[in-house]
Amino acid sequence: QVQLVESGGGLVQSGGSLRLSCAASGTFFSINDMGWYRQPPGKQRELVVIIRKDGSTNYADSVKGRFTISRDNAKNTVYLQMNSLKPEDTAVYYCYAEVWPTRWVKSDDWGQGTQVIVSS
């Protein structure tokens, strides 16, 4: 019912920066939480950061101080500014949204993923 479209991934050197974007489209009543997860090569998906509708956030310790999440509720879009990137940040990054298709139903939705590669 909702589609999350991500952009902004790519290849950067260690210490560089990237900005990811994710826009939600489709038919839905509202979106509550939004955020980013990532899956490093050979590992399981892990939380990067969540931002709630009121702007409160929860960052993974591994990215705290380097990554910044923001959202534009009018555009149903969430962003991830990634600074001081490290090779350990290399992963497929997935956008997440807690979508309420109606006021009675919740759906956890995911983007297609965008690749981030950080070289040494």
Side-chain angles (χ1 to χ4, degrees), residues 2 6 9 13 18 25 27 32-33 39 44 55-57 60 63 66 68 71 81 99 103 105 109 116 120:
V2 67
E6 300 152 319
Q13 282 197 5
L18 284 173
S25 62
T27 302
N32 193 12
D33 296 348
Q39 187 167 12
Q44 298 201 80
S56 61
T57 57
V63 306
R66 300 187 297 120
T68 303
R71 65 188 289 173
Q81 179 67 46
V99 180
R103 63 171 59 200
V105 177
D109 292 303
V116 172
S120 301

Side-chain angles (χ1 to χ4, degrees), residues 87-107:
E88 305 92 271
D89 297 317
T90 295
V92 177
Y93 284 69
Y94 295 92
C95 179
Y96 164 80
E98 179 190 337
V99 180
W100 291 80
T102 72
R103 63 171 59 200
W104 318 115
V105 177
K106 183 179 81 70
S107 177

Side-chain angles (χ1 to χ4, degrees), residues 9 13 20-21 43 46 49 51 60 63-64 90 101 105-106 113 116:
Q13 282 197 5
L20 307 183
S21 299
K43 296 186 177 182
E46 64 186 26
V49 59
I51 183 168
V63 306
K64 203 164 189 175
T90 295
V105 177
K106 183 179 81 70
V116 172

